[in-house]
Amino acid sequence: MIVKALRVVVGQLVVFISFLTRPSPMQREPAAQAAVDDAASALALYQFHGCPFCVKVRRTLRRLNLPVELRDASGNAEHRQTLLAEGGKIKVPCLRIEEDGQTRWLYESDAINEYLEGRFAAA
């Protein structure tokens, strides 16, 4: 019980510090941003609000100015079940990627950030 309470407090502290130090969004020409917005619509991030690894990915999303749908796998039973049924495990962060009619599930914050950087940093 104490460990759970401590985890919640530390998680909220991480979120607060991240808010105070959040990066500025990348600026793009309107046409380039529209193309990025369209490409990002095929992505969804399954996450827990206070998870430090999820915060790390959300910071990358903000810095790259990516409007990716955030799905709470902790407080939303439907998102949690989808993550388990389609992704194979309840582990966050997890990026759901729809490309060429295929759905791919990418776990691990470093792998997700590498994918996002590779796909959108130069856009």
Side-chain angles (χ1 to χ4, degrees), residues 63-87:
R63 186 175 47 75
L64 293 176
N65 200 5
L66 300 175
V68 172
E69 179 184 357
L70 302 178
R71 296 182 179 174
D72 182 11
S74 175
N76 185 308
E78 182 180 338
H79 291 322
R80 186 178 185 91
Q81 183 56 37
T82 301
L83 181 59
L84 178 61
E86 296 181 27

PDB file of all heavy atoms in Angstrom, residues 63-87:
ATOM      1  N   ARG A  63       7.861  17.963 -28.624  1.00  0.00           N
ATOM      2  CA  ARG A  63       8.982  18.608 -29.300  1.00  0.00           C
ATOM      3  C   ARG A  63       8.858  18.498 -30.813  1.00  0.00           C
ATOM      4  O   ARG A  63       9.163  19.437 -31.542  1.00  0.00           O
ATOM      5  CB  ARG A  63      10.300  17.978 -28.825  1.00  0.00           C
ATOM      6  CG  ARG A  63      11.542  18.676 -29.361  1.00  0.00           C
ATOM      7  CD  ARG A  63      12.824  18.115 -28.769  1.00  0.00           C
ATOM      8  NE  ARG A  63      12.884  16.674 -28.774  1.00  0.00           N
ATOM      9  CZ  ARG A  63      13.109  15.922 -29.845  1.00  0.00           C
ATOM     10  NH1 ARG A  63      13.265  16.479 -31.023  1.00  0.00           N
ATOM     11  NH2 ARG A  63      13.173  14.607 -29.746  1.00  0.00           N
ATOM     12  N   LEU A  64       8.374  17.344 -31.293  1.00  0.00           N
ATOM     13  CA  LEU A  64       8.215  17.141 -32.733  1.00  0.00           C
ATOM     14  C   LEU A  64       6.878  17.685 -33.256  1.00  0.00           C
ATOM     15  O   LEU A  64       6.606  17.585 -34.441  1.00  0.00           O
ATOM     16  CB  LEU A  64       8.341  15.653 -33.074  1.00  0.00           C
ATOM     17  CG  LEU A  64       9.724  15.043 -32.851  1.00  0.00           C
ATOM     18  CD1 LEU A  64       9.688  13.548 -33.121  1.00  0.00           C
ATOM     19  CD2 LEU A  64      10.769  15.729 -33.702  1.00  0.00           C
ATOM     20  N   ASN A  65       6.060  18.230 -32.347  1.00  0.00           N
ATOM     21  CA  ASN A  65       4.764  18.814 -32.704  1.00  0.00           C
ATOM     22  C   ASN A  65       3.870  17.784 -33.405  1.00  0.00           C
ATOM     23  O   ASN A  65       3.350  18.030 -34.494  1.00  0.00           O
ATOM     24  CB  ASN A  65       4.967  20.059 -33.574  1.00  0.00           C
ATOM     25  CG  ASN A  65       3.771  20.976 -33.579  1.00  0.00           C
ATOM     26  OD1 ASN A  65       2.800  20.748 -32.856  1.00  0.00           O
ATOM     27  ND2 ASN A  65       3.825  22.005 -34.393  1.00  0.00           N
ATOM     28  N   LEU A  66       3.715  16.634 -32.751  1.00  0.00           N
ATOM     29  CA  LEU A  66       2.934  15.528 -33.313  1.00  0.00           C
ATOM     30  C   LEU A  66       1.618  15.376 -32.555  1.00  0.00           C
ATOM     31  O   LEU A  66       1.617  15.044 -31.367  1.00  0.00           O
ATOM     32  CB  LEU A  66       3.712  14.218 -33.221  1.00  0.00           C
ATOM     33  CG  LEU A  66       5.046  14.167 -33.943  1.00  0.00           C
ATOM     34  CD1 LEU A  66       5.758  12.863 -33.657  1.00  0.00           C
ATOM     35  CD2 LEU A  66       4.845  14.364 -35.427  1.00  0.00           C
ATOM     36  N   PRO A  67       0.490  15.558 -33.228  1.00  0.00           N
ATOM     37  CA  PRO A  67      -0.810  15.401 -32.575  1.00  0.00           C
ATOM     38  C   PRO A  67      -1.250  13.932 -32.538  1.00  0.00           C
ATOM     39  O   PRO A  67      -2.178  13.521 -33.229  1.00  0.00           O
ATOM     40  CB  PRO A  67      -1.736  16.252 -33.451  1.00  0.00           C
ATOM     41  CG  PRO A  67      -1.133  16.117 -34.820  1.00  0.00           C
ATOM     42  CD  PRO A  67       0.353  16.052 -34.602  1.00  0.00           C
ATOM     43  N   VAL A  68      -0.560  13.141 -31.728  1.00  0.00           N
ATOM     44  CA  VAL A  68      -0.864  11.717 -31.615  1.00  0.00           C
ATOM     45  C   VAL A  68      -1.915  11.521 -30.521  1.00  0.00           C
ATOM     46  O   VAL A  68      -1.822  12.123 -29.444  1.00  0.00           O
ATOM     47  CB  VAL A  68       0.422  10.921 -31.288  1.00  0.00           C
ATOM     48  CG1 VAL A  68       0.120   9.473 -30.965  1.00  0.00           C
ATOM     49  CG2 VAL A  68       1.398  11.017 -32.453  1.00  0.00           C
ATOM     50  N   GLU A  69      -2.887  10.673 -30.803  1.00  0.00           N
ATOM     51  CA  GLU A  69      -3.925  10.377 -29.808  1.00  0.00           C
ATOM     52  C   GLU A  69      -3.303   9.640 -28.630  1.00  0.00           C
ATOM     53  O   GLU A  69      -2.602   8.644 -28.807  1.00  0.00           O
ATOM     54  CB  GLU A  69      -5.024   9.519 -30.431  1.00  0.00           C
ATOM     55  CG  GLU A  69      -6.118   9.170 -29.450  1.00  0.00           C
ATOM     56  CD  GLU A  69      -7.168   8.230 -30.013  1.00  0.00           C
ATOM     57  OE1 GLU A  69      -7.086   7.874 -31.198  1.00  0.00           O
ATOM     58  OE2 GLU A  69      -8.069   7.848 -29.243  1.00  0.00           O
ATOM     59  N   LEU A  70      -3.576  10.136 -27.422  1.00  0.00           N
ATOM     60  CA  LEU A  70      -3.111   9.489 -26.193  1.00  0.00           C
ATOM     61  C   LEU A  70      -4.243   8.637 -25.643  1.00  0.00           C
ATOM     62  O   LEU A  70      -5.359   9.132 -25.464  1.00  0.00           O
ATOM     63  CB  LEU A  70      -2.682  10.526 -25.161  1.00  0.00           C
ATOM     64  CG  LEU A  70      -1.577  11.492 -25.584  1.00  0.00           C
ATOM     65  CD1 LEU A  70      -1.293  12.483 -24.471  1.00  0.00           C
ATOM     66  CD2 LEU A  70      -0.322  10.749 -25.985  1.00  0.00           C
ATOM     67  N   ARG A  71      -3.939   7.372 -25.392  1.00  0.00           N
ATOM     68  CA  ARG A  71      -4.947   6.457 -24.860  1.00  0.00           C
ATOM     69  C   ARG A  71      -4.499   5.971 -23.491  1.00  0.00           C
ATOM     70  O   ARG A  71      -3.457   5.330 -23.361  1.00  0.00           O
ATOM     71  CB  ARG A  71      -5.145   5.284 -25.815  1.00  0.00           C
ATOM     72  CG  ARG A  71      -5.690   5.736 -27.154  1.00  0.00           C
ATOM     73  CD  ARG A  71      -5.939   4.600 -28.085  1.00  0.00           C
ATOM     74  NE  ARG A  71      -6.491   5.093 -29.360  1.00  0.00           N
ATOM     75  CZ  ARG A  71      -6.696   4.337 -30.416  1.00  0.00           C
ATOM     76  NH1 ARG A  71      -6.400   3.044 -30.379  1.00  0.00           N
ATOM     77  NH2 ARG A  71      -7.187   4.857 -31.522  1.00  0.00           N
ATOM     78  N   ASP A  72      -5.306   6.268 -22.486  1.00  0.00           N
ATOM     79  CA  ASP A  72      -4.994   5.919 -21.105  1.00  0.00           C
ATOM     80  C   ASP A  72      -5.281   4.440 -20.864  1.00  0.00           C
ATOM     81  O   ASP A  72      -6.443   4.032 -20.791  1.00  0.00           O
ATOM     82  CB  ASP A  72      -5.811   6.790 -20.161  1.00  0.00           C
ATOM     83  CG  ASP A  72      -5.505   6.531 -18.711  1.00  0.00           C
ATOM     84  OD1 ASP A  72      -4.522   5.831 -18.416  1.00  0.00           O
ATOM     85  OD2 ASP A  72      -6.258   7.035 -17.861  1.00  0.00           O
ATOM     86  N   ALA A  73      -4.230   3.652 -20.736  1.00  0.00           N
ATOM     87  CA  ALA A  73      -4.384   2.210 -20.520  1.00  0.00           C
ATOM     88  C   ALA A  73      -4.564   1.886 -19.046  1.00  0.00           C
ATOM     89  O   ALA A  73      -4.758   0.728 -18.692  1.00  0.00           O
ATOM     90  CB  ALA A  73      -3.179   1.460 -21.083  1.00  0.00           C
ATOM     91  N   SER A  74      -4.521   2.895 -18.199  1.00  0.00           N
ATOM     92  CA  SER A  74      -4.721   2.684 -16.770  1.00  0.00           C
ATOM     93  C   SER A  74      -6.166   2.954 -16.367  1.00  0.00           C
ATOM     94  O   SER A  74      -6.790   2.128 -15.708  1.00  0.00           O
ATOM     95  CB  SER A  74      -3.786   3.599 -15.980  1.00  0.00           C
ATOM     96  OG  SER A  74      -4.022   3.502 -14.609  1.00  0.00           O
ATOM     97  N   GLY A  75      -6.703   4.088 -16.780  1.00  0.00           N
ATOM     98  CA  GLY A  75      -8.038   4.487 -16.345  1.00  0.00           C
ATOM     99  C   GLY A  75      -9.153   4.133 -17.301  1.00  0.00           C
ATOM    100  O   GLY A  75     -10.315   4.305 -16.981  1.00  0.00           O
ATOM    101  N   ASN A  76      -8.814   3.619 -18.479  1.00  0.00           N
ATOM    102  CA  ASN A  76      -9.831   3.298 -19.474  1.00  0.00           C
ATOM    103  C   ASN A  76      -9.777   1.797 -19.776  1.00  0.00           C
ATOM    104  O   ASN A  76      -8.834   1.316 -20.404  1.00  0.00           O
ATOM    105  CB  ASN A  76      -9.591   4.114 -20.748  1.00  0.00           C
ATOM    106  CG  ASN A  76     -10.664   3.933 -21.788  1.00  0.00           C
ATOM    107  OD1 ASN A  76     -11.005   2.825 -22.163  1.00  0.00           O
ATOM    108  ND2 ASN A  76     -11.194   5.044 -22.275  1.00  0.00           N
ATOM    109  N   ALA A  77     -10.796   1.072 -19.330  1.00  0.00           N
ATOM    110  CA  ALA A  77     -10.818  -0.386 -19.477  1.00  0.00           C
ATOM    111  C   ALA A  77     -10.803  -0.827 -20.944  1.00  0.00           C
ATOM    112  O   ALA A  77     -10.190  -1.841 -21.290  1.00  0.00           O
ATOM    113  CB  ALA A  77     -12.035  -0.969 -18.767  1.00  0.00           C
ATOM    114  N   GLU A  78     -11.455  -0.062 -21.806  1.00  0.00           N
ATOM    115  CA  GLU A  78     -11.488  -0.412 -23.223  1.00  0.00           C
ATOM    116  C   GLU A  78     -10.092  -0.320 -23.851  1.00  0.00           C
ATOM    117  O   GLU A  78      -9.670  -1.211 -24.589  1.00  0.00           O
ATOM    118  CB  GLU A  78     -12.450   0.515 -23.963  1.00  0.00           C
ATOM    119  CG  GLU A  78     -12.581   0.191 -25.434  1.00  0.00           C
ATOM    120  CD  GLU A  78     -13.555   1.124 -26.148  1.00  0.00           C
ATOM    121  OE1 GLU A  78     -14.413   1.729 -25.483  1.00  0.00           O
ATOM    122  OE2 GLU A  78     -13.434   1.243 -27.373  1.00  0.00           O
ATOM    123  N   HIS A  79      -9.376   0.769 -23.548  1.00  0.00           N
ATOM    124  CA  HIS A  79      -8.018   0.914 -24.082  1.00  0.00           C
ATOM    125  C   HIS A  79      -7.089  -0.159 -23.511  1.00  0.00           C
ATOM    126  O   HIS A  79      -6.243  -0.701 -24.225  1.00  0.00           O
ATOM    127  CB  HIS A  79      -7.457   2.300 -23.776  1.00  0.00           C
ATOM    128  CG  HIS A  79      -8.135   3.399 -24.517  1.00  0.00           C
ATOM    129  ND1 HIS A  79      -8.572   3.289 -25.815  1.00  0.00           N
ATOM    130  CD2 HIS A  79      -8.450   4.660 -24.136  1.00  0.00           C
ATOM    131  CE1 HIS A  79      -9.113   4.421 -26.207  1.00  0.00           C
ATOM    132  NE2 HIS A  79      -9.076   5.274 -25.194  1.00  0.00           N
ATOM    133  N   ARG A  80      -7.249  -0.469 -22.247  1.00  0.00           N
ATOM    134  CA  ARG A  80      -6.427  -1.499 -21.610  1.00  0.00           C
ATOM    135  C   ARG A  80      -6.666  -2.857 -22.273  1.00  0.00           C
ATOM    136  O   ARG A  80      -5.733  -3.590 -22.565  1.00  0.00           O
ATOM    137  CB  ARG A  80      -6.752  -1.557 -20.120  1.00  0.00           C
ATOM    138  CG  ARG A  80      -5.866  -2.492 -19.341  1.00  0.00           C
ATOM    139  CD  ARG A  80      -6.252  -2.439 -17.856  1.00  0.00           C
ATOM    140  NE  ARG A  80      -5.371  -3.208 -17.049  1.00  0.00           N
ATOM    141  CZ  ARG A  80      -4.276  -2.739 -16.466  1.00  0.00           C
ATOM    142  NH1 ARG A  80      -3.940  -1.473 -16.615  1.00  0.00           N
ATOM    143  NH2 ARG A  80      -3.522  -3.523 -15.736  1.00  0.00           N
ATOM    144  N   GLN A  81      -7.918  -3.178 -22.534  1.00  0.00           N
ATOM    145  CA  GLN A  81      -8.256  -4.457 -23.168  1.00  0.00           C
ATOM    146  C   GLN A  81      -7.733  -4.516 -24.604  1.00  0.00           C
ATOM    147  O   GLN A  81      -7.229  -5.544 -25.045  1.00  0.00           O
ATOM    148  CB  GLN A  81      -9.771  -4.685 -23.141  1.00  0.00           C
ATOM    149  CG  GLN A  81     -10.201  -6.017 -23.704  1.00  0.00           C
ATOM    150  CD  GLN A  81      -9.532  -7.197 -23.008  1.00  0.00           C
ATOM    151  OE1 GLN A  81      -9.307  -7.189 -21.804  1.00  0.00           O
ATOM    152  NE2 GLN A  81      -9.191  -8.220 -23.769  1.00  0.00           N
ATOM    153  N   THR A  82      -7.831  -3.406 -25.331  1.00  0.00           N
ATOM    154  CA  THR A  82      -7.301  -3.349 -26.699  1.00  0.00           C
ATOM    155  C   THR A  82      -5.797  -3.562 -26.688  1.00  0.00           C
ATOM    156  O   THR A  82      -5.263  -4.305 -27.524  1.00  0.00           O
ATOM    157  CB  THR A  82      -7.637  -1.995 -27.364  1.00  0.00           C
ATOM    158  OG1 THR A  82      -9.048  -1.842 -27.390  1.00  0.00           O
ATOM    159  CG2 THR A  82      -7.081  -1.919 -28.767  1.00  0.00           C
ATOM    160  N   LEU A  83      -5.112  -2.928 -25.753  1.00  0.00           N
ATOM    161  CA  LEU A  83      -3.662  -3.091 -25.636  1.00  0.00           C
ATOM    162  C   LEU A  83      -3.298  -4.550 -25.392  1.00  0.00           C
ATOM    163  O   LEU A  83      -2.385  -5.084 -26.024  1.00  0.00           O
ATOM    164  CB  LEU A  83      -3.128  -2.206 -24.508  1.00  0.00           C
ATOM    165  CG  LEU A  83      -1.628  -2.217 -24.257  1.00  0.00           C
ATOM    166  CD1 LEU A  83      -0.860  -1.770 -25.497  1.00  0.00           C
ATOM    167  CD2 LEU A  83      -1.288  -1.323 -23.069  1.00  0.00           C
ATOM    168  N   LEU A  84      -4.037  -5.216 -24.537  1.00  0.00           N
ATOM    169  CA  LEU A  84      -3.776  -6.625 -24.248  1.00  0.00           C
ATOM    170  C   LEU A  84      -4.143  -7.520 -25.430  1.00  0.00           C
ATOM    171  O   LEU A  84      -3.348  -8.364 -25.846  1.00  0.00           O
ATOM    172  CB  LEU A  84      -4.547  -7.057 -22.998  1.00  0.00           C
ATOM    173  CG  LEU A  84      -4.415  -8.520 -22.591  1.00  0.00           C
ATOM    174  CD1 LEU A  84      -2.968  -8.866 -22.284  1.00  0.00           C
ATOM    175  CD2 LEU A  84      -5.300  -8.814 -21.393  1.00  0.00           C
ATOM    176  N   ALA A  85      -5.329  -7.320 -25.994  1.00  0.00           N
ATOM    177  CA  ALA A  85      -5.816  -8.199 -27.055  1.00  0.00           C
ATOM    178  C   ALA A  85      -5.041  -8.041 -28.358  1.00  0.00           C
ATOM    179  O   ALA A  85      -4.711  -9.027 -29.012  1.00  0.00           O
ATOM    180  CB  ALA A  85      -7.308  -7.940 -27.301  1.00  0.00           C
ATOM    181  N   GLU A  86      -4.748  -6.813 -28.737  1.00  0.00           N
ATOM    182  CA  GLU A  86      -4.096  -6.579 -30.021  1.00  0.00           C
ATOM    183  C   GLU A  86      -2.587  -6.410 -29.900  1.00  0.00           C
ATOM    184  O   GLU A  86      -1.840  -6.839 -30.773  1.00  0.00           O
ATOM    185  CB  GLU A  86      -4.711  -5.349 -30.708  1.00  0.00           C
ATOM    186  CG  GLU A  86      -6.166  -5.558 -31.066  1.00  0.00           C
ATOM    187  CD  GLU A  86      -6.764  -4.347 -31.762  1.00  0.00           C
ATOM    188  OE1 GLU A  86      -6.009  -3.582 -32.407  1.00  0.00           O
ATOM    189  OE2 GLU A  86      -7.983  -4.170 -31.645  1.00  0.00           O
ATOM    190  N   GLY A  87      -2.136  -5.772 -28.827  1.00  0.00           N
ATOM    191  CA  GLY A  87      -0.702  -5.558 -28.633  1.00  0.00           C
ATOM    192  C   GLY A  87      -0.009  -6.760 -28.031  1.00  0.00           C
ATOM    193  O   GLY A  87       1.183  -6.947 -28.183  1.00  0.00           O
TER     194      GLY A  87
END
